[in-house]
Amino acid sequence: MTYCTAVLVEAGLVIIADTRTNAGLDNISTYRKLHLFQADDRMLAVATAGNLSITQGVVSLLSEGLENPETGEMETIYRSKTMFRAAQLIGRAIRRVRTVDGPALEDVDLRFDCSFLFGGQIAGGPMRLYMIYSAGNFIECSQEAPFLQIGEHKYGKPILDRAIHHGSDLYDALKIALVSMDSTMRSNLSVGLPIDIAVVRRDTITPELIHRIEVGEPYFHDLRERWSTALRAAHMAIPTPPYGKQAAAGGPTKPAG
Amino acid sequence: MTYCTAVLVEAGLVIIADTRTNAGLDNISTYRKLHLFQADDRMLAVATAGNLSITQGVVSLLSEGLENPETGEMETIYRSKTMFRAAQLIGRAIRRVRTVDGPALEDVDLRFDCSFLFGGQIAGGPMRLYMIYSAGNFIECSQEAPFLQIGEHKYGKPILDRAIHHGSDLYDALKIALVSMDSTMRSNLSVGLPIDIAVVRRDTITPELIHRIEVGEPYFHDLRERWSTALRAAHMAIPTPPYGKQAAAGGPTKPAG
């Protein structure tokens, strides 16, 4: 499995991805799932989940280019005029890979399984974040729920639901995304370290941070420990349910006199 | 959807279930999914998830009885000799309903979708907790991971993974199960109040607590608020990631002199 999440707040974009792939329990590898496309006028990040042969094929096409059906010109992700056009290009790349590989995958009962987070900014346009589905259609992240997730998304969603809002500090957003990743890694062994991170401040068109958290890195280790400790303390601080015998026994029991 | 979880700790059993059912967004109802079977010699609880017609059919058969293939006698859940035998009875009831209704459900493209948590104690035997699948096979809860879940289980699993252990206090286990339910309700609208609760202390064969948490109940409302507040405080207390420009800018910036 994979877990990737991206957060788009007022200050900018955070996108993180794990790197574990598995084709059966005895075939575990580390593959990059966070791909950056940088040029003078753009800073784009694509995170991938699903069948690795499909997602690598799509990512390759983004650099190699596909014909734009409107203009007839070859379009690469470095030449798309807007974020929306670039998201459409990713959609077309997905459909191209499906046309080429889909039937053969179906023949061996493999589902055409892929999804993408695509975020960033092209100079002159706004910063945007999209989630692109295996059919090539996509949705855009909203201010009301300023994050998107792909892959094994459920374990890590509660903390995002509670803690992220449009006004969150950029590095708070990164911290919460890492807590979300930690929850996922604890509950699903097929999501694992290292974790790739990119942070892009709005309107800068350059990455402020590109980092890989390796196994044993002290900050992430400390974050996991602190989060565990805090959760334990949090539920300990909630009063015992006021139901049943124990609750009845919780009051003063000293005999009068 | 449904969310049910059961915790079996040294002190006893906690089992909780939501009550929301939906057949489309305009057909939302409240149905009991936690069923208790009590007699002088036994205290048994069955929580259900999946297609309501299937699960209600199975629960009805547990009371009405099925022929035991070994003895030829009619067996009800009130007469099973051990918890293991009772779990087998539930498995047979599932298979009976599948035989009767499965083909017609398939004709209208409905999957035979059901799962059950079954816990409790029969006098003279140990307290046990099982999860029974739609094929009628089942697994037993272990001391190493002393909880089981059915239905929409992922959102509520991280807190159980971290907080529940075999030595947990019985009402701590209830509290953590309620936090797990809260996380699920926040992330999936089709899981909702009221919540049914049963708590059974080991070797007592009587329920110590049977309770329904209704909408607006102060304790559960307070638990949700406290948990939200504590999670916010918990992630606020984690240091900012030591990466990138902000980290660099985090040091002393006052000019010398």
Side-chain angles (χ1 to χ4, degrees):
Chain A
M1 282 296 288
T2 290
Y3 178 52
C4 307
T5 185
V7 183
L8 181 64
V9 292
E10 197 169 354
L13 173 74
V14 168
I15 186 163
I16 71 173
D18 87 310
T19 53
R20 187 163 292 175
T21 67
N22 65 307
L25 283 178
D26 56 354
N27 189 0
I28 305 279
S29 301
T30 295
Y31 275 91
R32 175 168 285 277
K33 303 174 196 169
L34 178 59
H35 304 270
L36 304 177
F37 301 88
Q38 294 181 252
D40 288 347
D41 71 336
R42 65 194 60 206
M43 169 62 218
L44 310 176
V46 174
T48 67
N51 182 300
L52 192 65
S53 73
I54 297 171
T55 59
Q56 287 190 344
V58 170
V59 169
S60 295
L61 284 177
L62 298 181
S63 295
E64 296 209 351
L66 277 174
E67 196 178 282
N68 182 322
E70 286 169 31
T71 63
E73 286 175 15
M74 283 299 278
E75 181 181 344
T76 72
I77 198 166
Y78 293 103
R79 295 180 63 183
S80 302
K81 290 218 167 65
T82 65
M83 287 294 293
F84 178 73
R85 295 291 179 91
Q88 285 184 316
L89 175 67
I90 299 174
R92 287 204 305 281
I94 295 168
R95 288 167 189 159
R96 172 66 59 87
V97 173
R98 185 194 286 270
T99 304
V100 174
D101 293 331
L105 291 174
E106 234 170 66
D107 284 350
V108 293
D109 283 334
L110 277 177
R111 211 158 50 88
F112 190 83
D113 172 27
C114 66
S115 52
F116 299 81
L117 296 177
F118 169 53
Q121 193 167 13
I122 296 173
M127 183 169 254
R128 293 198 188 279
L129 173 61
Y130 297 98
M131 176 159 64
I132 303 159
Y133 300 100
S134 61
N137 57 328
F138 52 86
I139 60 169
E140 186 175 358
C141 186
S142 74
Q143 286 195 16
E144 290 69 34
F147 63 88
L148 291 171
Q149 306 170 287
I150 54 174
E152 178 64 282
H153 63 281
K154 290 191 178 184
Y155 298 120
K157 186 162 178 282
I159 181 61
L160 296 172
D161 278 335
R162 289 173 199 269
I164 295 273
H165 54 93
H166 183 63
S168 292
D169 173 83
L170 198 51
Y171 286 82
D172 264 355
L174 172 59
K175 193 168 72 178
I176 293 159
L178 290 175
V179 170
S180 171
M181 179 65 79
D182 172 46
S183 292
T184 309
M185 285 168 48
R186 278 190 70 105
S187 290
N188 187 327
L189 289 181
S190 71
V191 174
L193 289 163
I195 300 165
D196 285 318
I197 298 173
V199 176
V200 188
R201 200 165 285 277
R202 198 181 284 265
D203 298 333
T204 62
I205 318 285
T206 53
E208 182 164 308
L209 168 65
I210 297 172
H211 182 67
R212 171 167 283 193
I213 297 179
E214 300 281 358
V215 177
E217 204 215 63
Y219 173 75
F220 190 62
H221 179 82
D222 179 61
L223 175 143
R224 306 188 78 174
E225 289 292 312
R226 281 174 188 261
W227 184 246
S228 275
T229 307
L231 286 192
R232 253 193 312 278
H235 78 75
M236 303 278 272
I238 295 176
T240 298
Y243 320 122
K245 287 182 184 167
Q246 169 152 336
T253 53
K254 216 166 65 171
Chain B
M1 283 297 286
T2 290
Y3 179 52
C4 307
T5 185
V7 184
L8 182 64
V9 292
E10 195 168 355
L13 173 75
V14 168
I15 185 163
I16 71 173
D18 87 310
T19 53
R20 187 163 291 174
T21 67
N22 64 309
L25 284 178
D26 57 352
N27 189 0
I28 305 281
S29 300
T30 295
Y31 275 91
R32 175 169 285 278
K33 303 175 197 170
L34 178 58
H35 304 270
L36 304 178
F37 301 89
Q38 293 181 252
D40 287 348
D41 70 336
R42 66 193 60 206
M43 168 62 218
L44 310 176
V46 174
T48 68
N51 181 300
L52 192 65
S53 73
I54 297 171
T55 58
Q56 287 190 345
V58 170
V59 169
S60 295
L61 283 177
L62 299 181
S63 296
E64 294 209 351
L66 278 173
E67 195 177 283
N68 182 322
E70 287 170 30
T71 63
E73 285 175 15
M74 283 300 277
E75 181 181 345
T76 72
I77 197 166
Y78 294 102
R79 295 181 63 182
S80 301
K81 290 219 165 67
T82 65
M83 287 294 292
F84 179 73
R85 297 291 178 90
Q88 286 184 315
L89 175 67
I90 298 174
R92 287 205 305 280
I94 295 169
R95 289 167 188 160
R96 172 66 59 87
V97 172
R98 185 194 284 268
T99 304
V100 173
D101 292 331
L105 291 174
E106 234 169 67
D107 284 350
V108 293
D109 283 333
L110 278 177
R111 210 159 51 88
F112 190 83
D113 172 27
C114 66
S115 53
F116 300 81
L117 296 177
F118 169 54
Q121 193 167 13
I122 296 173
M127 182 169 255
R128 292 196 189 279
L129 172 62
Y130 297 97
M131 176 157 65
I132 303 159
Y133 300 99
S134 60
N137 57 328
F138 52 86
I139 61 169
E140 186 174 359
C141 186
S142 75
Q143 286 194 16
E144 290 71 32
F147 62 87
L148 292 171
Q149 306 171 287
I150 54 175
E152 178 64 281
H153 63 281
K154 291 191 178 184
Y155 299 119
K157 185 162 179 281
I159 181 62
L160 296 172
D161 277 335
R162 288 172 198 271
I164 296 273
H165 53 94
H166 183 63
S168 293
D169 173 82
L170 198 50
Y171 286 82
D172 265 355
L174 172 58
K175 192 168 72 178
I176 293 159
L178 291 175
V179 170
S180 171
M181 178 65 79
D182 171 46
S183 292
T184 310
M185 285 168 49
R186 277 190 72 105
S187 290
N188 186 327
L189 290 181
S190 71
V191 174
L193 289 163
I195 301 165
D196 285 318
I197 297 173
V199 175
V200 188
R201 201 166 283 279
R202 199 181 283 266
D203 298 333
T204 62
I205 317 286
T206 53
E208 183 165 308
L209 168 65
I210 297 173
H211 182 67
R212 171 168 282 195
I213 296 179
E214 300 282 358
V215 178
E217 203 215 67
Y219 173 74
F220 189 62
H221 180 82
D222 179 61
L223 174 142
R224 304 188 80 176
E225 288 293 311
R226 281 175 187 261
W227 185 245
S228 274
T229 306
L231 285 193
R232 254 193 312 278
H235 78 74
M236 303 277 272
I238 295 176
T240 297
Y243 320 122
K245 288 182 184 167
Q246 170 152 335
T253 54
K254 217 167 61 171

